[in-house]
Amino acid sequence: MTSAPDAAAPPAIELRGITKRFPGVVANRDVHLSVARGEVHALVGENGAGKSTLMKTLYGMHVPEEGTISVDGEVVTLRSPGDAIGHGIGMVHQHFMLADNFTVLENVVLGSEPHRGPRLDVAESRRRILEISDRYGLGLRPDAVVEDLSVADRQRVEIAKVLFRGARVLILDEPTAVLVPQEVDALFANLAELRREGLSVVFVSHKLDEVRAVADRITVLRRGTTVGTVDADEVTSRQLAELMVGSELPVAERAASTVTDEVALAVHGLAVERGGRRVLDDVSFEVHRGEVVGFAGVEGNGQSELVEALLGVLAPTAGTVELGGEDITRTSTLRRRGAGMAFVPEDRHRQALLLEAPLWENRLLGHQGSAPAGGRFLVHPRAAREQTARIMAEWDVRAPGVEVRAGALSGGNQQKLVIGREMEAQPKVLVAAHPTRGVDVGAQSSIWGRLRDARAEGLATVLVSADLDELIGLSDVLHVMLRGRLVATLDPRDVTPEVLGTYMTGAATGDAGTTTEEDRR
Amino acid sequence: APPQAGGSTSTEGGGSTCGNEVTIDEVTSVGLAFDSGGRGDLSFNDATVAGLEQAQEEIGFEATELSPNADGSNRGDLLRQLADAGNNPIIGNGFQFSEDMDTVAAEYPDTQFIRIDGGPSDCANVAVLTFAEPQGSFLVGAAAALTSETGVVGYVGANTSELIEGFRAGYTQGAQAVNPDIEVLTATLEPGPEDGYNDPAAARVAAEAQIEQGADVLYHASGSSGVGVFEAAAAADVWGIGVDQDQYNTIGDPALAEHILTSMLKNLDAAVYESLTTIVEEGSVDSQNLTLAEDGVGYSTTGGFIDDLVPQLEEYKQQIVDGEIEVSATPAS
Amino acid sequence: MTAVRRLGAALAPPAVAVLIALAITALLLTVLGVDALTALRALVDFGGSAQGQANQLRTLLTGAVPLFLAGVAVSVAFRMNLFNIGVEGQYRVAAVCAAYVGGELALPMPLHVLVIVLVAMLAGAAYAAVPAVLKVTRGVNEVITTIMLNSIAVGLAAYLVAGPFRDSTAGEGGNPTTRPLGESARLPGFQDSFLLLGLQPPTRPVTGFIVVAVVVGVVVALLVSRTRFGFELRASGANPTAAVASGIPAKAMVLRAMLLSGALAGLVGLPELLSEDYSYGTSFTSGLGFTGIAVALLGRNSVPGIAVAALLFSFLDRAGPSLETQGIPPSVSTIIQGTVVLTVVVVNEVAARLLARREDRRVRGRTEPAAVPAAAAQQGEGRA
Amino acid sequence: MTAVRRLGAALAPPAVAVLIALAITALLLTVLGVDALTALRALVDFGGSAQGQANQLRTLLTGAVPLFLAGVAVSVAFRMNLFNIGVEGQYRVAAVCAAYVGGELALPMPLHVLVIVLVAMLAGAAYAAVPAVLKVTRGVNEVITTIMLNSIAVGLAAYLVAGPFRDSTAGEGGNPTTRPLGESARLPGFQDSFLLLGLQPPTRPVTGFIVVAVVVGVVVALLVSRTRFGFELRASGANPTAAVASGIPAKAMVLRAMLLSGALAGLVGLPELLSEDYSYGTSFTSGLGFTGIAVALLGRNSVPGIAVAALLFSFLDRAGPSLETQGIPPSVSTIIQGTVVLTVVVVNEVAARLLARREDRRVRGRTEPAAVPAAAAQQGEGRA
Ligand SMILES: Nc1ncnc2c1ncn2[C@@H]1O[C@H](COP(=O)(O)OP(=O)(O)OP(=O)(O)O)[C@@H](O)[C@H]1O
Ligand SMILES: Nc1ncnc2c1ncn2[C@@H]1O[C@H](COP(=O)(O)OP(=O)(O)OP(=O)(O)O)[C@@H](O)[C@H]1O
Ligand SMILES: [Mg+2]
Ligand SMILES: [Mg+2]
């Protein structure tokens, strides 16, 4: 435990003795956190440890019961994000808070619009946004509608929004969960730039290597309270993990192939159009029983459309999808799910959860038609409650009970609930986007383990992920997507994240250096 | 005083299906249930109130007035509530009480009910006071035609109920009796047989449209909606014709009164007054149809705007009373 | 146990709310210069005589039945975030169709009523299908279509009853109505059954349709909480995107919700048709659909809540004449009625929130704070 | 250029819609057995004489003014996803207050009118503050509170005009009204100015309040599209969570939106007060607030759209008597009017979507697909 880089100046942010209770839960208990000017400070801890709660407190989204917040040595009261912004604090949320039907420009300026008198100064807004975009390489298109953006794009919009306000303290709650390595590097380069300019950054992440690489100091949170603060150069990832959970750092190790001959899912020449443009073009691949097929690609290259087309939410303009030999191109989502397809979406809040409904109702969602909790006509709340309790136990979903609103769970626990729900149905085909997004290291290794077990029992998996270690570690074959096309097929056994990255950005092309299907069997 | 049950042998009408012939020894409390619009509608309801108050002054009973709720669904309950409170007789103002009053009369066979307007009742304890509105309307129709310089006159009715259509029928016949080529513009505020008594804005739009089409005398049969007609008439400096009461006196706005040519009088007040005094004198009251002959209907001359027409109108009146002119109660179209 | 508790949770806030509402209303009345005591006494006065009281009770119940049905109809659509302002038009069209078919048919007793009920539900659903289809296929907001369809319904019903549906056996003249229902379609009511409860029977029976209303209430409550359809309805309302991803057909759900709402709306006019008027004519009650919106909102979309709300509205409606008898002008009595409902709404909302928070605490109280393994939570669950 | 195109985009769909609506209505009429040609001719008939036409034009304009104001008032709240059903009650309370103050005061001309307008806006805003405050502090849904406040407003206005606000100089008897406005508060209208356009002047002037309506329209349009407030209003409505996270005070926005909506609602009764009646009495027009909801929805919340919608409603309103003159029964004419609006709604919706899609393509066409650096997008922007 060391002191802040510049001990003389008051810390940019100091939280002292923060306690925040939710009904029945102490999310933060006597938390201390001190962030110096020009420091990148990481916050780590397992799911539900209270990281987001602490960050929201700092951003004025709720008022703590106890404790004080000081900005530049002065005690302040933050009753609303407005107050926090007023004190130069900005936040990028774990679950984005963007107005979907607004443009990038509108979202960025929202709340602190440049204006001349009462009039909105659009030209000035555009100028400043593009300036920020260029300076930090965010690649923003001011007139794109946020709804149409990929998750990574949205992330950049959120970051731009904070920078736009000239925040002196940036809070980033799991900013890298959905970024591919190149994007993570770019982001960290940005952070370094900011730090040089004297800004302070507080960021939350579950990726411990990353944390060590970028942070100056790291504060560990466990069960709502601070365990300690360490210097990033003096700690190993393993030590960090032990501080957090008391267990070892998991590794995505390859397991023996369980691929069978039996084709579970076959896709031929799939194409999807949006706004007159092909966002998915001539995509063909097969997934066998016991096989994990991974899809790598920079966000915005058609992975979302692929997942949604497989699920039947998006109608393809060409091509076919066969499930277990049966053409399901035109069947409904319901039928597909009934035929054994499961789905973990990239955005759990939008596509997987009823935030205002209790956990047991969320357990029913997507499975309302099948026994034991659902049925043709009736649903069985009691069975749903029992099942929810089982999922919570088996997948380590930490929540006080099955009657809790899904919205009250921490992000990682929501993710575990979604995965648990989908896996408990014992699907034949799993379509998963970022399955471990936002879960802590312990839970991540247990989810990986379970995915491997299911694969050994014959599960066919379509895996989309921004975590290249996860992709390489879990997949039996890897496809690279670029501009809606499959541009390369790689063998995960002899590919490194760096190599994969070059394919994803289009720097390398073709199937060079990869093995064929036959080779792998 | 508890009402005396009379012999339930009904005289005319060949056998009543409900209620008893009621004899009332002493009138101590009278109930009045309003038509929609309630007290202060400046026409139909207020006319009944006037008659009731006149009788009250003379006889000295207690009066209870109740207004229907917004959707008019509680008319039957108003009557029941009045009956439960011991009122006898009970007056229901308006033809909309028809079904409800017969039902309630069967439940309270020893209470006398009086209904203003509406079809005949099978109940021995329901007295219906009806008026020959078509006849009265005939006379104001004639007055309109005699006054009109454009050969176009207007009519604004509340709805398409039989009662309201009767006004239109008489008015048209009267106008055509004077001038067979006259154009009678008609407008109806509500598509069905209900409501329309409380929408002066719509009445005004309708009246303005007719004035635009050349109408220079406008009659209305639309309760308090009629204010809109008068407003339009006053604004365009043409004539309006009142209904039920002498609206020259009751409109309360001199600017509007100056444009009320005449009013078709439906002598509700007199009829109500008389039926109450009849009960006091004779213990019971019967249904009555009040025509021109009984002065149940008529026209007003207040303001002196039609003084020179009176001889002609009186002539028509006589012809109707004599049966030389028959006024149909249903419009030709 | 939980069922009772849940019912209690649904009923307690409105009860408390009514009391507080009365207090606030008394204050307002004093400001308006009206004797608050007299007014409140008149408000809760059910008349002196046993007969009068029985009749007022009957009025209260009879008035609540259509309001309850209208509230339930509105609430079904609300569950899916659909604002069915069209209950008004739907029940009008349904009533005129049902009255016509019922009047022209001659069938044995239970069948005759059944046919009328079915026709009403079908007609209501058909009329609700218009906004539903327009929304699903053309994306037209249902609020404006139902507003316009309400006004069309007024014209349509008047046109039908004056023309094609008019009682042809009645002579010329007279106000147009449909042919009166035969005896076999006239629903018997509750009158002597009051004696069983030790009460004076009212002069008129309470509409037998109250039984249908109770059945509808139970069925809808079960439908919403226990069936797959109800779950899908709620899910689509709560998060349409997630619902679609979960295999719930969004458009089909809009259709189904509106059709069900319309079918229920079709029932609203039946108590009047089957137990009072026996035909559709001049005095058919209008406006119930609009009040139904307020009833559904006041009842917070739950069936028991809607029942209480319907009774409250009916209670206040019934009180109007009592207030007038006490010399309180209709204008003030309108203010009183509105204020009572308004205060009930507010207090109800506050109470419901407090209750939810307590319930929250109760649930959580059973488990340890934060980061507790789910197994413990499960045990906690089992213990309750 | 873009402003014109945008106006065109807002106006073109309704225009096409009206034409298609007429065609569909003609079909319906034929089904109902009415001569469609006669009916449609009657619908669009403005009378034979030049005088008659001028007068009908006047009726059309005069009728549209309050509907436009009501529509704008509703739309401001809609922008924030607030359903201000209470415009009805707000304008009623505002009108009675403004009439009272205006009648009792004696001031020089422009000041007198100004005071009346201010009082109306304040009263409307104050009455709208009730649901706003209840929503913000107690979380009560504004739909139910405004419904109840509407019914209270009816009672309140009747109470006020019969008691405290009654014209004390008028004798007993007659119906209660406020004291008539003095000459200095009577708004001059447009009559001879018709000559400037080469038109016959109508017999009565078009309300001078039309100027206020135009100003309000322009101001609100600018406010919503060009100012911070308008932008934050839309944002808070479209995505409250995002707005809050951006530091926009959500509760304050609810308050502001409702107060603004209420203040605008306060204007709805003024054309009638200042140019027609000069006092508030029993004959004061009611229901404009409800129609305002339909107008706002039909106008798709845009000011030009609302103007067109208000004109359409006024046009159809005016056509009622013409239809009856042609022997079309009132029930059918109600059906015609409703159907025209309904079809316009649908066609308008479809056209707006098509347009939006085209617009979309236009905008997107300017930029390169996907992963294009912002600089390129900027150029594309510059080029257009
Ligand atoms: N709005 C809320 N209502 C009730 N409980 C809440 C709420 N928000 C968070 N909690 C609880 O507070 C605790 C801490 O949650 P928090 O979101 O801070 O965790 P976290 O550290 O961010 O986890 P993760 O890594 O999964 O995002 C959890 O037990 C959670 O259930
Ligand atoms: N509805 C839409 N209309 C127009 N353009 C769209 C639409 N949806 C997406 N796009 C654009 O298409 C491109 C591809 O986006 P897409 O959502 O397919 O990303 P993705 O590759 O699936 O990313 P992820 O890995 O996050 O799933 C982006 O430039 C996006 O802005
Ligand atoms: Mg978190
Ligand atoms: Mg995507």
Side-chain angles (χ1 to χ4, degrees), chain B residues 10-151:
Chain B
S10 138
T11 40
E12 328 114 359
S16 67
T17 53
C18 71
N20 305 322
E21 289 285 352
V22 178
T23 313
I24 302 172
D25 291 340
E26 196 189 347
V27 176
T28 54
S29 50
V30 176
L32 169 60
F34 285 118
D35 202 353
S36 56
R39 200 184 234 275
D41 70 346
L42 304 183
S43 87
F44 189 66
N45 285 316
D46 283 357
T48 304
V49 171
L52 181 74
E53 283 176 349
Q54 192 190 346
Q56 189 177 16
E57 232 162 72
E58 246 167 67
I59 305 167
F61 49 80
E62 272 200 37
T64 309
E65 297 169 2
L66 294 182
S67 314
N69 57 4
D71 57 27
S73 61
N74 68 343
R75 289 197 180 83
D77 290 322
L78 294 182
L79 297 177
R80 270 178 212 107
Q81 204 167 332
L82 289 170
D84 283 336
N87 291 292
N88 196 4
I90 293 169
I91 305 170
N93 206 29
F95 76 92
Q96 300 246 53
F97 279 94
S98 298
E99 292 157 18
D100 287 321
M101 186 173 278
D102 287 2
T103 316
V104 176
E107 294 161 23
Y108 297 87
D110 298 328
T111 302
Q112 177 69 53
F113 291 90
I114 301 171
R115 179 168 74 233
I116 319 288
D117 290 345
S121 170
D122 288 336
C123 296
N125 56 340
V126 174
V128 186
L129 306 182
T130 49
F131 300 82
E133 297 94 354
Q135 294 184 351
S137 300
F138 185 103
L139 296 184
V140 296
L146 290 167
T147 309
S148 172
E149 289 167 7
T150 57

Side-chain angles (χ1 to χ4, degrees), chain A residues 23-26 223 333-334 337 349-351 353 361 364-366 368-369 375-379 381 389 392-393 397 400 404, chain C residues 6 225-228 231-232 234-235 238-239 241-242 244-248 360 363-364 367 369-372 374 377-378 381:
Chain A
V25 177
V26 188
R223 301 200 171 194
T333 306
L334 186 65
R337 279 180 165 276
H349 278 194
R350 258 156 55 115
Q351 292 190 289
L353 292 170
E361 287 199 1
L364 265 174
L365 191 65
Q368 67 274 11
R376 179 106 176 70
F377 297 110
L378 296 183
V379 293
M392 288 167 66
V397 178
V404 176
Chain C
R6 247 182 260 145
S225 67
R226 286 294 141 92
T227 66
R228 181 172 158 187
F231 175 75
E232 298 190 336
R234 267 180 298 144
N239 187 346
T241 329
V244 170
S246 306
I248 300 170
D360 232 36
V363 171
R364 284 160 200 274
T367 64
V372 163
Q378 196 186 359
E381 199 57 32

Side-chain angles (χ1 to χ4, degrees), chain D residues 263-281:
Chain D
L264 292 173
L267 298 176
V268 172
L270 293 191
E272 186 165 350
L273 179 66
L274 298 174
S275 326
E276 306 251 343
D277 289 5
Y278 309 122
S279 69
Y280 181 99

Side-chain angles (χ1 to χ4, degrees), chain A residues 20-23 25-28 45-56 62 94-95 173-174 204 206 221 224 348 398-400 404-405 407-414 416 438-440, chain C residues 360 364 369-372:
Chain A
K20 173 69 196 173
R21 297 186 187 85
F22 291 109
V25 177
V26 188
N28 288 151
E46 44 177 352
N47 293 133
K51 305 180 293 296
S52 295
T53 304
L54 190 66
M55 295 301 96
K56 286 181 187 166
H62 44 225
Q94 181 176 11
H95 299 110
D173 195 351
E174 299 197 27
V204 177
H206 290 296
L221 230 60
R348 52 188 172 244
R398 299 184 185 183
V404 176
R405 283 186 318 118
L409 261 56
S410 79
N413 283 310
Q414 288 170 352
K416 288 188 271 181
V439 305
D440 62 38
Chain C
D360 232 36
R364 284 160 200 274
V372 163

